[in-house]
Amino acid sequence: MSITLHWFLTTAGDGRSIVGGSHMAAARGSASSLREPDIDYLAQQARAADHLGFTGVLTPTGTWCEDAWLTTAALIRETRQLKFLVAFRPGVLSPTLAAQMAATYQRISRGRLLLNVVTGGDSLEQQRFGDWLDHDQRYARTGEFLDVIRGAWTGEPFDYEGEHYKVKGAIVSEPPNPVPDIYFGGSSDAALPVAAKHADVYLTWGEPPAQVAEKIARVRELAAAQGRTLRFGIRLHTITRDSSREAWREADKFLDALDPETVAKAQEGLRTSQSVGQQRMVALHGGSRDDLEISPNLWTGVGLVRGGAGTALVGSHAEVADRIEEYHDLGIDEFVLSGYPNLEEAYWFGENVKPLLEARGLLDGKPRAARVAS
């Protein structure tokens, strides 16, 4: 299977720093170096991703982001082929309403919706939305939510009674065409069976290849037990430049801008997360600036101050392509990428790494070319 490349929309703002978004910049008094997530800048990012040939863009969800459904709907007419991977939390809206929203979105976008179901690993974040279930209960509810949403898409009235949802006659005016693929992440024992049953694409954060291979094998086994086959994706940042030295110099600039107090405060918050995936991210660096390259070209500096995706591929264009090919050989078919600043990094990657992947036959299904040592 060939590789699918996605990019990212910075709906919390971004800039020339790896610390937070626009809300955090204002608190630090450095908002002038950050870019607000206004619709013009987001449209610029979306048009760039469309022009560069990315399949889709992930739009995150959470307190500090603009709403993913509304933002991406506003960008449909700004783009031509780009798909929108809309992240949302199933516990904060009705599954039948979500089914209706997705069906409408598919019609007005002419089939450009993908869904990233985010169960949520931070209890404080969930409680802001009135959700008081614990970690495992949230995943159980997500499973039921996806039962209902898929049932509502069948075109026939759907009845369901579970622990968390009870619906009668769930249906949409017209089933979405195509049915949007469901992207799903989660590393806990409660998450993996839900992924195996419902996901089209299982997403993992950018761990070292051996850990990724282990996780893929486990999810694949669970899916096979239910007669299903999944695709696998990975979420990473990139810092790609004309030479390895230039790329690592850029990473060092990000690191030099971090004061110990900022790192300590961020780590204090991240360590309290209930998310197993987040704890795995924290364990990669342990809060220390030492030995941040934990695998060839895999840098954990981002995770010192940011939750979620905490690793970046750093290196020359050929080195970054090598690492993507390495993950692909393990079974990763979809790559959700981003950078700092996000707009500029899209061009660094799209104009330099993407052609290398194409030349190797990784993007269009052509026979794979011999790799030239970098």
Side-chain angles (χ1 to χ4, degrees):
M1 183 179 290
S2 59
I3 286 173
T4 299
L5 296 174
H6 304 280
W7 201 248
F8 189 77
L9 288 179
T10 56
T11 57
D14 80 312
R16 300 183 181 278
S17 166
I18 60 174
V19 180
S22 57
H23 67 286
M24 295 182 70
R28 299 194 317 274
S30 58
S32 62
S33 67
L34 270 287
R35 300 172 187 178
E36 293 291 333
D38 63 63
I39 194 63
D40 292 329
Y41 180 51
L42 294 174
Q44 194 176 5
Q45 291 184 45
R47 288 193 298 265
D50 204 19
H51 169 72
L52 291 165
F54 290 97
T55 295
V57 284
L58 171 65
T59 308
T61 183
T63 303
W64 307 113
C65 304
E66 298 294 350
D67 178 75
W69 291 98
L70 294 174
T71 301
T72 58
L75 295 173
I76 291 170
R77 298 299 292 270
E78 299 281 347
T79 53
R80 295 184 178 183
Q81 295 182 317
L82 190 70
K83 296 182 180 181
F84 294 97
L85 180 49
V86 173
F88 72 101
R89 298 175 189 268
V92 300
L93 77 166
S94 152
T96 309
L97 175 60
Q100 182 186 43
M101 292 166 63
T104 299
Y105 199 117
Q106 282 297 60
R107 283 190 289 280
I108 66 174
S109 70
R110 296 182 174 92
R112 292 197 276 150
L113 174 67
L114 305 169
L115 294 175
N116 178 206
V117 175
V118 180
T119 298
D122 184 342
S123 290
L124 293 178
E125 172 81 1
Q126 296 300 121
Q127 289 164 14
R128 293 187 188 111
F129 292 94
D131 180 12
W132 293 82
L133 296 185
D134 66 26
H135 176 277
D136 288 2
Q137 289 176 320
R138 289 197 294 268
Y139 277 104
R141 179 183 59 195
T142 295
E144 292 188 11
F145 181 98
L146 294 173
D147 282 335
V148 175
I149 199 172
R150 288 197 184 277
W153 285 339
T154 62
E156 299 292 335
F158 178 74
D159 297 341
Y160 184 88
E161 184 170 353
E163 181 181 352
H164 301 282
Y165 295 106
K166 180 179 180 179
V167 300
K168 185 174 181 60
I171 195 169
V172 296
S173 61
E174 184 179 339
N177 183 25
V179 171
D181 282 345
I182 291 176
Y183 290 65
F184 187 95
S187 299
S188 68
D189 290 339
L192 297 186
V194 179
K197 180 180 179 181
H198 291 286
D200 297 296
V201 180
Y202 175 79
L203 285 175
T204 181
W205 285 325
E207 298 177 358
Q211 293 182 29
V212 170
E214 181 182 5
K215 190 182 292 186
I216 287 175
R218 187 176 177 195
V219 176
R220 186 175 280 149
E221 181 179 1
L222 289 170
Q226 300 195 46
R228 302 189 70 239
T229 301
L230 310 186
R231 303 195 306 280
F232 294 90
I234 195 167
R235 174 77 180 94
L236 288 157
H237 304 287
T238 64
I239 305 174
T240 181
R241 297 295 183 268
D242 294 336
S243 70
S244 184
R245 179 177 296 180
E246 290 177 80
W248 284 109
R249 186 182 300 130
E250 193 70 18
D252 288 340
K253 284 170 55 180
F254 290 139
L255 194 60
D256 291 343
L258 302 180
D259 60 80
E261 182 181 354
T262 298
V263 173
K265 186 174 182 179
Q267 288 300 300
E268 181 182 358
L270 293 173
R271 288 194 181 96
T272 65
S273 173
Q274 291 182 327
S275 166
V276 173
Q278 184 62 70
Q279 293 307 313
R280 290 169 69 106
M281 283 281 101
V282 170
L284 294 178
H285 52 70
S288 172
R289 294 169 179 256
D290 300 329
D291 300 321
L292 291 175
E293 187 181 6
I294 57 172
S295 183
N297 305 107
L298 185 64
W299 184 65
T300 60
V302 177
L304 289 174
V305 289
R306 294 189 70 94
T311 52
L313 297 180
V314 181
S316 68
H317 308 310
E319 287 173 333
V320 171
D322 289 347
R323 300 289 76 77
I324 287 175
E325 186 169 0
E326 181 180 9
Y327 280 117
H328 182 54
D329 287 341
L330 297 177
I332 297 292
D333 297 315
E334 307 214 9
F335 292 79
V336 183
L337 309 170
S338 59
Y340 299 92
N342 199 54
L343 177 62
E344 285 89 329
E345 194 65 31
Y347 281 98
W348 275 112
F349 186 96
E351 294 180 339
N352 297 286
V353 180
K354 186 169 175 281
L356 295 179
L357 298 172
E358 289 172 342
R360 298 179 188 186
L362 293 172
L363 297 186
D364 54 12
K366 294 179 180 179
R368 295 174 66 171
R371 183 168 62 188
V372 178
S374 58

